Structure formats: C-alpha cells, structure tokens
Coordinates of all heavy atoms in Angstrom, one line a residue:
R1 N 61.0 15.7 -42.1 CA 60.4 15.3 -43.4 C 60.8 13.8 -43.5 O 61.7 13.4 -44.2 CB 61.0 16.1 -44.5 CG 60.7 17.6 -44.4 CD 61.5 18.4 -45.3 NE 61.4 18.0 -46.7 CZ 62.2 18.4 -47.7 NH1 63.3 19.1 -47.4 NH2 62.0 18.0 -48.9
W2 N 60.0 13.0 -42.8 CA 60.3 11.6 -42.7 C 60.3 10.8 -44.0 O 61.1 9.9 -44.3 CB 59.4 10.9 -41.7 CG 59.7 11.2 -40.3 CD1 59.2 12.2 -39.5 CD2 60.7 10.5 -39.5 NE1 59.8 12.2 -38.3 CE2 60.7 11.2 -38.2 CE3 61.6 9.5 -39.7 CZ2 61.5 10.8 -37.2 CZ3 62.4 9.1 -38.6 CH2 62.4 9.7 -37.4
Q3 N 59.3 11.1 -44.9 CA 59.2 10.4 -46.2 C 60.5 10.7 -47.0 O 61.0 9.7 -47.7 CB 58.0 10.8 -46.9 CG 56.7 10.3 -46.2 CD 55.4 10.7 -47.0 OE1 55.5 11.7 -47.8 NE2 54.3 10.0 -46.7
V4 N 60.9 11.9 -47.1 CA 62.1 12.2 -47.8 C 63.3 11.6 -47.2 O 64.2 11.1 -47.9 CB 62.3 13.8 -47.9 CG1 63.6 14.1 -48.7 CG2 61.1 14.4 -48.6
T5 N 63.4 11.5 -45.9 CA 64.5 10.8 -45.2 C 64.6 9.4 -45.6 O 65.8 9.0 -45.9 CB 64.2 10.9 -43.6 OG1 64.1 12.2 -43.2 CG2 65.3 10.1 -42.9
W6 N 63.5 8.7 -45.7 CA 63.6 7.2 -46.2 C 64.1 7.1 -47.6 O 64.9 6.2 -47.9 CB 62.3 6.6 -46.0 CG 61.8 6.5 -44.6 CD1 60.7 7.0 -44.1 CD2 62.5 5.8 -43.5 NE1 60.6 6.8 -42.7 CE2 61.7 6.0 -42.3 CE3 63.7 5.1 -43.3 CZ2 62.0 5.5 -41.1 CZ3 64.0 4.6 -42.1 CH2 63.2 4.8 -41.0
V7 N 63.8 8.1 -48.4 CA 64.2 8.0 -49.8 C 65.7 8.2 -49.9 O 66.4 7.4 -50.6 CB 63.5 9.1 -50.7 CG1 64.1 9.2 -52.1 CG2 62.0 8.8 -50.8
W8 N 66.2 9.2 -49.2 CA 67.7 9.4 -49.2 C 68.4 8.2 -48.6 O 69.5 7.8 -49.0 CB 68.0 10.7 -48.5 CG 67.7 12.0 -49.1 CD1 67.0 13.0 -48.6 CD2 67.9 12.3 -50.5 NE1 66.8 14.0 -49.5 CE2 67.4 13.6 -50.7 CE3 68.5 11.7 -51.6 CZ2 67.5 14.3 -51.9 CZ3 68.6 12.4 -52.8 CH2 68.1 13.6 -53.0
L9 N 67.9 7.7 -47.5 CA 68.5 6.5 -46.9 C 68.5 5.3 -47.8 O 69.5 4.5 -47.9 CB 67.8 6.1 -45.6 CG 68.0 7.1 -44.4 CD1 67.2 6.7 -43.2 CD2 69.5 7.1 -44.0
G10 N 67.4 5.2 -48.6 CA 67.4 4.1 -49.6 C 68.5 4.3 -50.7 O 69.1 3.3 -51.1
M11 N 68.7 5.5 -51.1 CA 69.8 5.8 -52.0 C 71.2 5.5 -51.4 O 72.0 4.9 -52.1 CB 69.7 7.3 -52.5 CG 68.5 7.7 -53.2 SD 68.5 7.0 -54.9 CE 69.7 8.0 -55.7
A12 N 71.3 5.9 -50.2 CA 72.6 5.6 -49.5 C 72.9 4.1 -49.4 O 74.0 3.6 -49.7 CB 72.6 6.2 -48.1
T13 N 71.8 3.3 -49.1 CA 71.9 1.9 -49.0 C 72.2 1.2 -50.3 O 73.0 0.3 -50.4 CB 70.7 1.3 -48.4 OG1 70.4 1.9 -47.1 CG2 70.8 -0.2 -48.1
A14 N 71.6 1.8 -51.4 CA 71.9 1.2 -52.7 C 73.3 1.3 -53.1 O 73.9 0.4 -53.8 CB 71.0 2.0 -53.7
F15 N 74.0 2.4 -52.7 CA 75.4 2.6 -53.1 C 76.3 1.8 -52.1 O 77.3 1.3 -52.5 CB 75.8 4.1 -53.1 CG 75.5 4.7 -54.4 CD1 74.2 5.4 -54.6 CD2 76.4 4.7 -55.4 CE1 73.9 6.0 -55.8 CE2 76.1 5.3 -56.6 CZ 74.9 5.9 -56.8
H16 N 76.0 1.8 -50.8 CA 76.9 1.1 -49.8 C 76.0 0.6 -48.7 O 75.4 1.4 -47.9 CB 77.9 2.1 -49.3 CG 79.1 1.4 -48.6 ND1 79.0 0.8 -47.4 CD2 80.4 1.2 -49.1 CE1 80.2 0.3 -47.1 NE2 81.0 0.5 -48.1
V17 N 75.8 -0.7 -48.7 CA 74.8 -1.3 -47.8 C 75.2 -1.1 -46.3 O 74.3 -1.0 -45.5 CB 74.7 -2.8 -48.1 CG1 76.0 -3.6 -47.7 CG2 73.5 -3.4 -47.4
L18 N 76.4 -1.0 -46.0 CA 76.8 -0.8 -44.6 C 76.5 0.7 -44.1 O 75.9 0.9 -43.1 CB 78.3 -1.1 -44.3 CG 78.6 -2.6 -44.5 CD1 80.1 -2.8 -44.2 CD2 77.8 -3.5 -43.5
V19 N 76.9 1.6 -44.9 CA 76.7 3.0 -44.6 C 75.2 3.3 -44.5 O 74.7 3.8 -43.5 CB 77.4 4.0 -45.6 CG1 77.0 5.4 -45.4 CG2 78.9 3.8 -45.6
G20 N 74.5 3.0 -45.6 CA 73.1 3.2 -45.6 C 72.3 2.3 -44.7 O 71.3 2.8 -44.1
G21 N 72.7 1.1 -44.6 CA 71.9 0.1 -43.8 C 71.9 0.4 -42.4 O 70.9 0.4 -41.7
W22 N 73.1 0.7 -41.8 CA 73.2 1.0 -40.4 C 72.5 2.3 -40.1 O 71.9 2.5 -39.0 CB 74.6 1.1 -39.9 CG 75.2 -0.3 -39.7 CD1 76.2 -0.9 -40.4 CD2 74.8 -1.2 -38.7 NE1 76.5 -2.1 -39.9 CE2 75.6 -2.4 -38.8 CE3 73.8 -1.2 -37.7 CZ2 75.5 -3.5 -38.0 CZ3 73.7 -2.3 -36.9 CH2 74.5 -3.4 -37.0
A23 N 72.6 3.3 -41.0 CA 71.9 4.6 -40.8 C 70.4 4.4 -40.8 O 69.7 5.0 -40.1 CB 72.3 5.6 -41.9
M24 N 69.9 3.4 -41.7 CA 68.5 3.1 -41.7 C 68.0 2.5 -40.4 O 66.9 2.8 -39.9 CB 68.2 2.2 -42.9 CG 66.7 2.1 -43.2 SD 66.4 1.3 -44.8 CE 66.9 2.6 -46.0
V25 N 68.9 1.6 -39.9 CA 68.5 1.0 -38.6 C 68.4 2.0 -37.5 O 67.5 2.0 -36.7 CB 69.6 -0.1 -38.2 CG1 69.4 -0.6 -36.8 CG2 69.5 -1.3 -39.2
A26 N 69.4 2.9 -37.4 CA 69.4 4.0 -36.4 C 68.2 4.9 -36.6 O 67.6 5.3 -35.6 CB 70.7 4.8 -36.5
T27 N 67.9 5.3 -37.8 CA 66.8 6.1 -38.1 C 65.5 5.4 -37.7 O 64.5 6.1 -37.2 CB 66.8 6.6 -39.5 OG1 68.0 7.2 -39.9 CG2 65.6 7.6 -39.8
G28 N 65.4 4.1 -38.0 CA 64.2 3.4 -37.6 C 64.0 3.4 -36.1 O 62.9 3.5 -35.6
C29 N 65.1 3.2 -35.4 CA 65.0 3.3 -33.9 C 64.5 4.6 -33.4 O 63.7 4.7 -32.5 CB 66.3 2.9 -33.3 SG 66.9 1.2 -33.5
A30 N 65.0 5.7 -34.0 CA 64.6 7.0 -33.7 C 63.1 7.2 -34.0 O 62.4 7.9 -33.2 CB 65.5 8.1 -34.4

C-alpha cells in the first residue's frame, strides 16, 4: 500500500527529520 506508506513516512518525518527522512530515502530506493 504505497500511498499509505508515504503518508506515514511524512508523519514520521514531521516529528523527527532524521528518523523519517532516512526511512523515506530508503523507501524511495526500494
């Protein structure tokens, strides 16, 4: 469920840019 994945990653990044940001980079590569 890729669309939902990006929403949750956006929430994670909003709270902590390193936790959510690096996860977003890894997910983008995947």
Side-chain angles (χ1 to χ4, degrees):
R1 298 166 61 196
W2 284 93
Q3 292 182 339
V4 178
T5 299
W6 296 120
V7 171
W8 290 132
L9 288 176
M11 295 288 289
T13 305
F15 275 93
H16 200 286
V17 67
L18 293 180
V19 173
W22 281 115
M24 193 170 288
V25 170
T27 305
C29 293

